[in-house]
Amino acid sequence: MARAHAIVLGAGMSGLLAARVLADHYGRVTVLERDQLGRTPHNRRGVPQGRHVHGLLPSGAQVLGELFPGLLDDLVTNGGTRLDDYSRLHFVPDGEHRLSPRLQVESIYQQSRPFLESAVRQRVLALPNVHVVDGCDVVGLATSSGRVVGARAVQRGRREEVLSADLVVDAAGRGSRTPSWLAEMGYAKPTEDKVDIDVRYASRLVRLAPGSVPETLVVIGASAHRPVGMALAAYEDNTWMFTMTGYGPAAQAADYEGMVNQAAEFAPAHMITALREALPLGDVSTFRFLANRRRRYDKLRRFPAGLLVTGDALCAFNPIYGQGMTIAALEAAALRDCLRGGDTRLARRFFRAAEKPVQVAWNMAVGADLALPYVSGARPLSMRLINAYVGRLLIAAQHDPAVAARFLRVSAFLVPPSRLMTPLMMARVFSRRGTVSTEVRRERTGSVGIAQVDAVGPEREVGSPTGAG
Ligand SMILES: Cc1cc2nc3c(=O)[nH]c(=O)nc-3n(C[C@H](O)[C@H](O)[C@H](O)COP(=O)(O)OP(=O)(O)OC[C@H]3O[C@@H](n4cnc5c(N)ncnc54)[C@H](O)[C@@H]3O)c2cc1C
C-alpha cells in the first residue's frame, strides 16, 4: 500500500491524535470535520461533552507529551492547572471513602475540554503535511474492489466530492457510521458489547471566590446508597467546572440550585458555601449517556483494507471514569507502533493492539458500574469477588497512601490492574483493621501521624525493591 494520503474523519481528540501519528508516515493527512473550528477554544456542536467536566488521566497526558513536546507545560503557562500536591485532590471513588490525601503520583493536568482540544489542534495544524477541512460532512466511504479508497464528503454550500486516500481513519465519535458502511460494502457489521447505564450529567462553569475551595480537584462518586456523585475542577483562567452525575432520571437535577442541593447531601460544607456564592459563567448544560458500548472490530474475520476505526467510534465508556481521551491517546500510540511495523494486515494488527487498553478500560468501567445497584447486567462470580476486594482496598486507601497511590495509578492506566493484587498490596489491604485501630488509638491519645504507613513518592515498578507491592 502506498502511503501518499491519509484521511481522518472527525477533528475530536481521537481524530487529532490519529492525524499527529499519521503525519509521520503519510505524505499528506487530511482531517475532515463537520463543525466550523475557530482558532480559540470554544464549545461546539459536535462535542457536546465539552460543556462537562473533562479530566485527562496521567497516562493520557504522558502520550500527549510524547506526541507534542512542550504541550503540557504550555497548558499550564497558558492558564491551565497542574495538580502536583495531592492534598489538593479530594477523591472519593466509591462515594464513601476518600483516598488518602498523602498519596503522591504523576501530575494531573486540569483544563476545559475546549482549551485542551484547541491546544492540540493548533499543534496538529502546525504540522506541514496536515490539513484540517472544517464545515465538511463525511457522508460515506469511497470503495473499489472491496477496499476503501477514500471518503465522500460535502463541504458547506458545495456538491458531494470524493477524496481519494490510501487510508481512512474513522474518528467520528459515538455516531460513527462505519458499521452501516461495512454492510453496504458487503462486510459483516461488528458485534457490540453493551451495558445500559443511563448516566445523567448536569454542569455549569463558575467562578469561585478566591481561596474558598483549597482543593483543585474534587471527585465524589455515586455509592450503593446514593445514585448521585459530583466533580468540581479548577480550570484555566480561574474558572471551575461544577458537574453533578447520577444514574437514572431521578438523579438529574433540574437547575443549578437543585445541583447544589444534591451536592449538599454529601460534599464538604466549604464547597457547598462556595458553590452557592459562585458567579455563574454560563447556563447549566445537561447530557444523557445511555450505555457503555464497544464495537468488536477485533473479532471480524473480514475487514476492508484502507480503513481503521478509533476513539469513541470503537468504544465509548461511562464518562464518569474519565477514560475516553486517555484511551484515544493510547490507541494513537498503538497506531504509531502498528504503522512502524508496515502495512501488512494493518487493520487486524491495529484492532488487536487497540483492544488491549480498551479491554482494561472496559473491565474497569463496567466492573465499577455493576458494583452499583442502579445498573442491570450479569455479575459473574469473578466480578463480584474483584468488586468486593476493591471495596476493601478503598477502605484501606483512606489511610494508606501506598494503597491509594496504587489505586490511582491503576485507574490512570499507568500500571495494570493486576498490580492491585500483588501479595504485598493484599497484605496492606487486609492488614488495615490493625492499622486503623492504631490510628484511632493515636488520635484518641492526641498523637498525630500514622507510623505504620509511609508517605509514598512516585511508585516503583515490578521488580523494584522499594515497590509497594
Ligand atoms: C459527558 C461526557 C463527559 C466526558 N468526560 C470525560 C473525561 O472526563 N475524560 C475523558 O478522558 N473523556 C471524557 N469523555 C469522553 C471523551 O469526550 C471522548 O472519549 C474523547 O473525546 C474521544 O472522542 P472522539 O474524538 O473519538 O469523538 P468525539 O469527541 O465525539 O469527536 C468526534 C468528532 O467527529 C466529528 N464528526 C462526527 N461525524 C462527522 C461526520 N460525518 N463528518 C465529519 N465530522 C464528523 C464531530 O463533529 C467531532 O468533532 C466524556 C464524554 C462525555 C459524553
Side-chain angles (χ1 to χ4, degrees):
M1 182 173 77
R3 285 185 173 180
H5 185 210
I7 289 178
V8 178
L9 314 187
M13 284 301 287
S14 65
L16 293 171
L17 299 179
R20 165 65 192 86
V21 165
L22 291 164
D24 287 342
H25 297 272
Y26 284 77
R28 275 186 311 129
V29 179
T30 308
V31 183
L32 306 176
E33 167 56 48
R34 185 156 52 196
D35 282 349
Q36 298 283 353
L37 304 167
R39 281 197 68 83
T40 52
H42 64 278
N43 280 303
R44 55 193 183 84
R45 201 167 163 215
V47 184
Q49 68 266 37
R51 297 178 188 278
H52 301 272
V53 72
H54 244 76
L56 176 64
L57 300 176
S59 56
Q62 277 181 359
V63 177
L64 259 58
E66 278 168 35
L67 294 177
F68 305 103
L71 170 77
L72 299 174
D73 286 341
D74 285 357
L75 290 173
V76 181
T77 308
N78 293 331
T81 304
R82 178 167 48 213
L83 189 153
D84 293 315
D85 170 5
Y86 271 76
S87 67
R88 305 186 78 183
L89 171 72
H90 184 105
F91 186 20
V92 190
D94 61 354
E96 289 181 6
H97 303 99
R98 180 185 174 188
L99 293 193
S100 165
R102 295 190 300 121
L103 73 98
Q104 189 62 47
V105 295
E106 285 76 357
S107 304
I108 294 181
Y109 292 84
Q110 299 178 213
Q111 56 282 308
S112 67
R113 162 69 188 249
F115 185 84
L116 177 63
E117 188 183 289
S118 172
V120 170
R121 191 166 64 238
Q122 296 319 317
R123 276 165 180 75
V124 170
L125 282 167
L127 299 168
N129 59 339
V130 179
H131 185 45
V132 179
V133 184
D134 61 357
C136 179
D137 191 2
V138 176
V139 295
L141 298 172
T143 62
S144 172
S145 311
R147 68 161 290 154
V148 172
V149 293
R152 295 187 287 114
V154 182
Q155 260 194 285
R156 204 150 295 164
R158 299 216 205 146
R159 287 219 188 123
E160 183 179 312
E161 268 181 275
V162 174
L163 292 109
S164 307
D166 306 295
L167 180 69
V168 173
V169 178
D170 177 3
R174 295 178 303 280
S176 156
R177 280 179 276 167
T178 290
S180 318
W181 292 338
L182 284 179
E184 283 167 20
M185 290 177 76
Y187 287 88
K189 289 184 181 185
T191 53
E192 274 190 7
D193 296 340
K194 183 164 162 273
V195 176
D196 294 320
I197 48 175
D198 192 8
V199 161
R200 314 291 179 115
Y201 267 64
S203 301
R204 184 178 232 179
L205 196 66
V206 294
R207 180 152 287 138
L208 302 183
S212 57
V213 176
E215 298 85 356
T216 57
L217 182 59
V218 179
V219 182
I220 304 176
S223 76
H225 313 291
R226 190 191 65 235
V228 176
M230 71 170 278
L232 181 62
Y235 273 180
E236 65 275 6
D237 302 330
N238 296 319
T239 60
W240 291 73
M241 181 58 82
F242 171 43
T243 292
M244 291 302 298
T245 56
Y247 291 83
Q252 183 93 66
D255 53 20
Y256 185 72
E257 200 188 341
M259 290 168 62
V260 180
N261 288 342
Q262 276 183 326
E265 289 173 20
F266 57 90
H270 68 280
M271 296 177 197
I272 301 305
T273 306
L275 286 167
R276 289 206 200 286
E277 292 170 359
L279 178 72
L281 298 174
D283 295 331
V284 172
S285 302
T286 57
F287 194 95
R288 189 171 171 202
F289 189 93
L290 290 173
N292 293 305
R293 187 186 299 269
R294 169 162 71 151
R295 299 193 171 112
R296 302 307 308 258
Y297 291 105
D298 58 310
K299 289 197 166 170
L300 285 176
R301 282 221 221 109
R302 288 175 63 242
F303 192 82
L307 179 65
L308 298 177
V309 183
T310 188
D312 280 12
L314 193 58
C315 188
F317 317 87
N318 183 344
I320 284 174
Y321 308 115
Q323 300 171 319
M325 294 190 296
T326 290
I327 294 302
L330 294 172
E331 287 167 0
L335 176 60
R336 177 187 57 193
D337 296 343
C338 289
L339 287 169
R340 284 178 184 156
D343 292 320
T344 311
R345 296 153 68 87
L346 180 63
R348 183 170 293 273
R349 287 189 290 115
F350 170 70
F351 288 131
R352 284 200 180 151
E355 189 49 27
K356 286 181 188 142
V358 166
Q359 179 71 52
V360 174
W362 179 265
N363 287 349
M364 288 203 284
V366 169
D369 281 337
L370 287 170
L372 295 169
Y374 325 107
V375 175
S376 355
R379 293 164 167 83
L381 179 63
S382 55
M383 181 186 282
R384 281 182 279 140
L385 288 173
I386 289 170
N387 279 342
Y389 175 71
V390 171
R392 191 69 193 79
L393 181 142
L394 288 174
I395 294 171
Q398 291 178 103
H399 306 284
D400 186 338
V403 176
R406 180 64 58 85
F407 176 81
L408 207 63
R409 301 192 84 233
V410 167
S411 307
F413 302 95
L414 291 164
V415 294
S418 57
R419 303 282 290 147
L420 291 178
M421 297 204 182
T422 58
L424 269 173
M425 190 49 54
M426 288 171 105
R428 294 187 91 112
V429 168
F430 290 112
S431 73
R432 292 311 306 157
R433 191 174 298 162
T435 309
V436 171
S437 56
T438 307
E439 284 161 24
V440 172
R441 249 183 282 125
R442 281 165 190 274
E443 277 167 26
R444 283 194 190 130
T445 56
S447 163
V448 289
I450 303 166
Q452 281 161 282
V453 290
D454 46 323
V456 284
E459 184 186 22
R460 302 280 168 82
E461 275 326 302
V462 188
S464 155
T466 54

